[in-house]
Amino acid sequence: MYDDASYYAFTPSAYAPGEKAAHTRHRRKTSLLAQPNEGAQANESLTDGTTTARNHQEAHSPPKATLNRRAQSYTDFHHAVRAVLRTKSTSDGHDSKKADEIRDDLEFGEWYQSIEDDLLEASHIDYRQMSFAYQDQLELTETYLESLSSTTSATLDILSSLSQSFGSVEAQTTAFQKQCEDLVVEQHRVTRLADDIGENLQYYSYLEPITRRLSAPGAGNFVRGREFSDMLARLDECLVYMSSHPLQREAATYRARYRLLLTRGLTLIRVHFVGALRDIAQDVTRRIADGQLNDTTMSALLYAKFRVGASELKETVREIQKRAIIPEGAEPGVEAEYQSLMNELYTSYSATRGRLVIPLVAKKIADIAQAPSTSKDLVAFARNSISYVKGVCSDEHELWRDWFEGEDGLYDFLESVCEPLYDHLRPRIIHENQLLKLCELCTLLQTRYMRDQDEELEIVDLNQLDFSTLIQSALEDAQTRLVFRTQAILRDEIENYKPKPEDLDYPTRNKQVTLPGFKHNGPVTSGRKGSITGISTPKDPVTVEESDTPSARYGFDAEATFQGWYPTLRKAIWLLSRICRLVNSAVFDDLAHEIVHQTTLSLHRASMLIASRSTTTDAQLFLLKYLLLLKQQIVAFDIEYVTPDVSFDFSGVTNTFYELRDRGGLFDPRNLWRFVGGGLLPRVVENMLDAKVELDGRLRTVINDFTTSAAERMTHPTNENARSKKNFDATLALQKTQELTAQEVPLLRRKLDEYLDDLRTKETLIGAVQNQVVMNYENFYEWFAAGKRATGARVGKKGKSREDDVWDADTFGDWAGEVFGVRGMVTASMNGGQSRSQSVSRNVSRSVSRDGSM
């Protein structure tokens, strides 16, 4: 039932040591069903099995159960039976009958039955013995299993109690572990709290040692050491801590005390700095006073001596400078907390250096002012003195950067160094009356010392001296004086100019002057690239020299170019060319508009005087010529539009008030309505019109006046006054008009040749006169045709009039085109009187281009 290995593996050993070897050699008893060749072995096994069973009964433990193998077939069973019988017959020797003694079938049956009984009995005996042995094994096994079951139950009970014990131990271990973790967390918290307390206490523990250190005798000698910088850094940390922990009980008190200690420490730096600077200055002053020194020795004393030890003092001063910073979020204009200490250092340094340098600079400037070459020449004095002062300022700038970081306070000190220069230069500028000298001075300052406005976008080296800041005041003085002199010249020589008789001698003056390069006999062009006078003007503003030397700057003879110009125009262009680019653009625009405005008024007054001395045509052409020249010249200066100066005139309000008061009707409701409606509102007054707009308006006016007067001289027999006379003959009026037109056109051309040289301009004006003549005749013909139709007479068709009759407008226009002979010009079409008048005005006005040509 059980396998050998599993049985003996599970059952504990119950044999003595001597018996174990014999029992391990136990074999299972051979069954009766074994093979024939296994008969002897089976008997031996059966005997061994019985003996073994008995031995096991005497032992303390059950024997190993065995089962004989059953026969696998009937043949095996037969062989096994015969073997048993043979053995039995040999051993037992019973008296049974032998096979050879059988005589009949009955005996054989008996014999066979006896054999079968014996065989059955023998088989039963064998199995009975085996069953007894097996039963003993089962009983022994049952006993063993019962003991094993009881042992197992006891073991399970023990294991259960152990499991419960283990669970209890595990629970206790878990609770213990949790308590340990809580203890560890508490330990960390307590440790962190102790560290925080220690860290917080250290900011309070610095007070006493730092107080003793700063209050000890000779604390000033401690400034240059590294420990002093560390102490100041520790004070900064303490102040930051106190500021960030305002809820701590003693934070405010300690913060105030730390702030006081920091101020005391920085004050020690200031005292040390001032003392070191005073010692160096006293040494240099003593050496200078001892004897005469050359420039090299003086430079070594003033600069090399001050550079010794400057780096150490600079590091010390940096402790104050890095704390003199405006905090973030501060209001505009708020000064840093320790900026006053830095200002004291700047002031002390500037005063010390000023006592050494400024007297030397003043002496040198005085020597330059008394030199023969510069005593009377403003520009030469400015050039030499400014160059010297610039060199001194450059040296002081380099020395300043050896002592301080940044440029705070530097330019205030350098301005004090430049004071001797201003003391000599400013009076000379104020007393300078020559405009050319003032212009040269402004040019010198702008080109050599001022920063170019076009280079502002480039990277500027912050370590370089910005001398333009120092010289700006001198430039402003020169520009102010230049503007004042320009206004004086404008007032005296343009606005209040009284022309001489030879200035108004026109047209004779035109014949006396021959301008080179003015003749232009080529074909008529658009006129946009050429000037009206044929003058070759430079791209830059023309500099009109009042001297007799040619201007080589622009490559043309200025004296010959502007000879014969009206003096106010000449002076205006000269002023504009001088002040252009020397003053601020806004100031120049104001001056330029005023100059152009006064020049225009001066030319207009001169034309009125010429009209009284000569003819109206000469006055108109004079004004036209010089207005076109003025327009042409001011293009180069690029004058910007100027907003008119608008003011309110309240004189009407006061006049109305006094008028009502004098009449005694101040409180009359009707007068009050008048006062509110008309007299209460002030008048808006524009004091100045844009000069270019004014110039264009005057050009249009003089052109219209010229064309109207010229056309009126040709067509006055047909005007309204002539038509209002009695016995007016239209045919005769037409003939007179034709005669006058034929006579006036050659005179008109000669007159234009005397004043103008540009062919296109002259042809444009002649065409404008032709259009005005045709327009005047159109008005006459419309009046004539209306009278004919009123009387019922026939009026000739267009282009069908007879030569001895009154011509229609088209016929007269064709005839006028042949008489005027405008070259290269196309006259406007005739669309009625009003449209023709507007067309003539617009065409002539638009013919005046921006550069003054037509």
Side-chain angles (χ1 to χ4, degrees):
M1 186 174 68
Y2 295 99
D3 186 63
D4 298 341
S6 61
Y7 178 83
Y8 288 103
F10 180 77
T11 304
S13 179
Y15 302 101
E19 298 176 343
K20 183 175 182 180
H23 286 288
T24 54
R25 291 190 299 268
H26 168 74
R27 292 182 180 178
R28 186 177 299 175
K29 186 173 61 176
T30 304
S31 174
L32 296 176
L33 300 178
Q35 296 295 333
N37 56 356
E38 295 179 353
Q41 186 177 0
N43 295 328
E44 183 180 359
S45 298
L46 183 60
T47 305
D48 293 339
T50 305
T51 305
T52 302
R54 292 177 180 177
N55 291 334
H56 277 297
Q57 290 177 0
E58 296 175 358
H60 298 285
S61 60
K64 185 177 179 180
T66 58
L67 291 176
N68 289 326
R69 188 169 59 91
R70 292 182 178 182
Q72 296 180 357
S73 63
Y74 180 80
T75 305
D76 294 338
F77 178 74
H78 175 72
H79 289 297
V81 170
R82 291 189 65 181
V84 171
L85 291 178
R86 189 181 301 116
T87 304
K88 187 175 181 61
S89 60
T90 303
S91 59
D92 293 342
H94 52 78
D95 295 330
S96 59
K97 293 181 178 181
K98 298 181 180 180
D100 52 1
E101 293 179 357
I102 297 173
R103 290 182 297 274
D104 51 11
D105 292 337
L106 182 60
E107 291 179 356
F108 177 78
E110 292 176 353
W111 175 81
Y112 182 77
Q113 183 67 34
S114 62
I115 292 302
E116 189 177 25
D117 293 338
D118 294 338
L119 181 62
L120 181 59
E121 181 68 20
S123 177
H124 285 175
I125 292 172
D126 189 17
Y127 277 99
R128 189 179 295 111
Q129 292 176 352
M130 292 177 61
S131 64
F132 290 155
Y134 187 68
Q135 185 177 0
D136 294 338
Q137 292 179 4
L138 288 178
E139 291 175 357
L140 182 61
T141 302
E142 181 182 4
T143 303
Y144 173 75
L145 289 178
E146 288 177 359
S147 63
L148 181 62
S149 176
S150 60
T151 304
T152 302
S153 298
T155 304
L156 289 176
D157 294 338
I158 294 173
L159 290 177
S160 177
S161 63
L162 288 177
S163 176
Q164 293 177 359
S165 300
F166 289 157
S168 176
V169 171
E170 182 180 6
Q172 294 175 3
T173 304
T174 303
F176 180 73
Q177 181 181 2
K178 187 175 183 306
Q179 292 177 0
C180 292
E181 291 176 353
D182 294 340
L183 290 176
V184 170
V185 171
E186 182 66 18
Q187 180 186 4
H188 290 168
R189 186 188 67 81
V190 173
T191 304
R192 186 168 57 253
L193 180 61
D195 294 340
D196 293 341
I197 293 175
E199 183 179 357
N200 294 337
L201 288 178
Q202 70 176 350
Y203 294 105
Y204 292 90
S205 62
Y206 294 141
L207 180 63
E208 295 300 329
I210 293 178
T211 303
R212 291 193 302 269
R213 195 69 176 271
L214 293 178
S215 302
N221 300 327
F222 176 57
V223 171
R224 288 196 177 186
R226 179 64 183 174
E227 296 81 2
F228 187 79
S229 299
D230 296 338
M231 182 188 67
L232 294 179
R234 193 173 297 113
L235 285 174
D236 291 335
E237 295 175 359
C238 293
L239 287 173
V240 171
Y241 176 81
M242 297 303 169
S243 300
S244 59
H245 298 81
L247 299 180
Q248 294 183 4
R249 179 176 300 177
E250 299 294 332
T253 303
Y254 275 79
R255 179 183 178 186
R257 298 183 67 178
Y258 280 135
R259 180 70 65 186
L260 182 61
L261 291 176
L262 181 61
T263 304
R264 186 182 302 175
L266 298 181
T267 304
L268 289 177
I269 294 177
R270 178 183 62 81
V271 173
H272 174 73
F273 179 87
V274 173
L277 189 63
R278 182 178 59 252
D279 295 340
I280 297 174
Q282 290 177 354
D283 186 17
V284 172
T285 303
R286 185 180 65 256
R287 294 190 180 186
I288 293 176
D290 288 343
Q292 298 293 332
L293 301 176
N294 55 22
D295 294 340
T296 303
T297 307
M298 184 67 70
S299 177
L301 283 176
L302 290 178
Y303 295 100
K305 183 69 175 177
F306 272 83
R307 285 189 172 91
V308 177
S311 59
E312 296 181 1
L313 290 174
K314 183 178 181 180
E315 293 295 329
T316 305
V317 171
R318 189 181 288 115
E319 296 295 336
I320 302 178
Q321 192 169 12
K322 67 184 181 181
R323 291 171 177 84
I325 299 176
I326 300 176
E328 297 182 359
E331 296 180 358
V334 176
E335 192 179 48
E337 183 176 2
Y338 295 106
Q339 186 62 43
S340 59
L341 286 177
M342 284 303 303
N343 294 337
E344 291 180 10
L345 297 184
Y346 295 151
T347 303
S348 177
Y349 177 86
S350 300
T352 303
R353 291 295 301 174
R355 287 192 295 269
L356 296 174
V357 175
I358 293 178
L360 300 178
V361 174
K363 182 177 181 300
K364 183 65 176 180
I365 295 297
D367 295 341
I368 296 175
Q370 295 175 1
S373 60
T374 58
S375 59
K376 296 182 179 180
D377 190 349
L378 172 63
V379 179
F381 169 77
R383 182 182 297 108
N384 295 337
S385 59
I386 293 175
S387 298
Y388 170 74
V389 171
K390 182 180 180 181
V392 174
C393 291
S394 299
D395 295 337
E396 292 297 327
H397 176 265
E398 294 179 0
L399 184 61
W400 179 280
R401 299 192 70 87
D402 292 337
W403 282 75
F404 302 102
E405 282 188 357
E407 297 181 351
D408 294 340
L410 169 62
Y411 287 94
D412 294 336
F413 165 62
L414 294 181
E415 286 180 0
S416 64
V417 175
C418 295
E419 283 297 329
L421 171 65
Y422 298 148
D423 294 340
H424 286 79
L425 185 60
R426 188 175 289 114
R428 287 172 175 259
I429 293 175
I430 294 175
H431 292 89
E432 183 62 54
N433 292 324
Q434 296 185 22
L435 189 69
L436 294 178
K437 291 294 183 181
L438 295 173
C439 293
E440 290 180 10
L441 178 59
C442 292
T443 303
L444 173 68
L445 296 177
Q446 288 180 343
T447 55
R448 293 189 60 180
Y449 303 110
M450 300 302 295
R451 183 176 297 171
D452 192 357
Q453 299 295 332
D454 297 335
E455 298 179 357
E456 287 186 353
L457 299 179
E458 297 182 0
I459 299 176
V460 180
D461 188 2
L462 299 179
N463 296 326
Q464 296 295 328
L465 173 66
D466 186 10
F467 190 69
S468 61
T469 304
L470 302 175
I471 208 65
Q472 180 68 32
S473 59
L475 177 61
E476 291 176 355
D477 293 339
Q479 290 176 337
T480 302
R481 182 62 180 173
L482 177 62
V483 172
F484 175 79
R485 289 301 305 155
T486 301
Q487 292 175 340
I489 294 173
L490 172 64
R491 181 183 63 253
D492 298 337
E493 301 187 28
I494 296 180
E495 183 178 358
N496 298 328
Y497 178 74
K498 297 186 180 301
K500 300 177 182 179
E502 58 269 19
D503 295 334
L504 304 175
D505 189 11
Y506 285 88
T508 305
R509 189 171 177 82
N510 289 330
K511 299 177 182 179
Q512 295 175 354
V513 179
T514 302
L515 302 183
F518 274 28
K519 297 300 181 182
H520 182 73
N521 298 325
V524 178
T525 59
S526 63
R528 294 187 178 181
K529 295 184 179 180
S531 67
I532 189 170
T533 60
I535 299 175
S536 177
T537 57
K539 294 181 179 180
D540 293 333
V542 177
T543 302
V544 185
E545 301 287 350
E546 290 190 323
S547 62
D548 56 355
T549 59
S551 176
R553 180 179 180 182
Y554 299 112
F556 69 97
D557 192 343
E559 181 67 21
T561 300
F562 298 101
Q563 182 180 4
W565 282 20
Y566 189 69
T568 57
L569 177 62
R570 175 189 176 94
K571 184 61 67 176
I573 302 301
W574 181 78
L575 283 177
L576 290 175
S577 63
R578 281 301 180 185
I579 66 175
C580 180
R581 300 177 183 172
L582 296 182
V583 295
N584 184 268
S585 59
V587 177
F588 171 75
D589 290 337
D590 291 339
L591 286 175
H593 281 273
E594 184 64 25
I595 291 172
V596 173
H597 173 69
Q598 294 298 335
T599 304
T600 304
L601 294 179
S602 174
L603 294 175
H604 188 266
R605 290 193 297 267
S607 67
M608 295 176 63
L609 294 175
I610 292 174
S612 63
R613 294 167 58 94
S614 182
T615 62
T616 304
T617 302
D618 290 322
Q620 292 172 347
L621 289 177
F622 165 84
L623 184 59
L624 176 62
K625 171 184 178 179
Y626 285 111
L627 288 180
L628 289 175
L629 281 174
L630 179 59
K631 182 177 179 62
Q632 174 193 13
Q633 292 299 317
I634 66 175
V635 170
F637 300 105
D638 194 18
I639 303 175
E640 298 292 337
Y641 174 76
V642 174
T643 304
D645 185 11
V646 180
S647 62
F648 295 96
D649 184 10
F650 291 92
S651 60
V653 178
T654 57
N655 293 336
T656 304
F657 177 79
Y658 286 117
E659 180 183 357
L660 294 177
R661 190 188 64 175
D662 295 339
R663 292 180 180 180
L666 181 60
F667 298 100
D668 189 351
R670 292 174 297 178
N671 292 335
L672 290 177
W673 279 109
R674 174 189 170 191
F675 181 73
V676 173
L680 185 62
L681 299 178
R683 293 186 301 108
V684 179
V685 180
E686 293 186 0
N687 297 328
M688 179 181 175
L689 183 66
D690 183 75
K692 294 191 291 184
V693 176
E694 180 186 11
L695 180 59
D696 292 339
R698 288 191 178 274
L699 268 175
R700 285 193 293 268
T701 301
V702 69
I703 290 173
N704 290 334
D705 292 345
F706 173 74
T707 56
T708 301
S709 61
E712 184 64 24
R713 289 195 303 270
M714 298 178 188
T715 60
H716 72 84
T718 60
N719 60 13
E720 187 175 356
N721 293 331
R723 294 196 300 266
S724 62
K725 296 179 180 180
K726 296 180 180 180
N727 300 325
F728 176 75
D729 189 355
T731 304
L732 182 59
L734 174 60
Q735 294 176 359
K736 291 181 179 181
T737 300
Q738 292 174 341
E739 293 175 359
L740 290 174
T741 302
Q743 293 174 4
E744 289 291 334
V745 168
L747 296 176
L748 177 63
R749 285 188 173 274
R750 285 197 298 271
K751 185 64 69 175
L752 290 175
D753 290 339
E754 292 177 0
Y755 285 91
L756 303 175
D757 293 279
D758 185 68
L759 181 59
R760 180 176 177 82
T761 303
K762 293 185 289 186
E763 294 301 324
T764 301
L765 292 174
I766 292 174
V769 174
Q770 176 186 342
N771 289 336
Q772 188 65 35
V773 168
V774 174
M775 185 186 68
N776 292 343
Y777 186 80
E778 283 182 351
N779 295 332
F780 161 71
Y781 186 75
E782 289 179 0
W783 172 84
F784 176 75
K788 285 287 188 178
R789 285 191 292 270
T791 58
R794 295 179 58 188
V795 181
K797 299 180 180 179
K798 278 189 176 184
K800 301 294 184 179
S801 302
R802 297 180 303 174
E803 293 185 0
D804 57 349
D805 195 2
V806 177
W807 292 350
D808 60 89
D810 290 341
T811 303
F812 183 82
D814 295 340
W815 175 83
E818 296 176 358
V819 173
F820 281 89
V822 180
R823 291 170 291 178
M825 304 294 295
V826 180
T827 58
S829 61
M830 302 178 185
N831 299 321
Q834 183 178 1
S835 62
R836 169 167 291 279
S837 176
Q838 296 174 354
S839 176
V840 170
S841 177
R842 284 195 303 267
N843 290 337
V844 175
S845 299
R846 291 175 180 174
S847 297
V848 182
S849 63
R850 187 172 182 268
D851 59 356
S853 61
M854 298 184 66

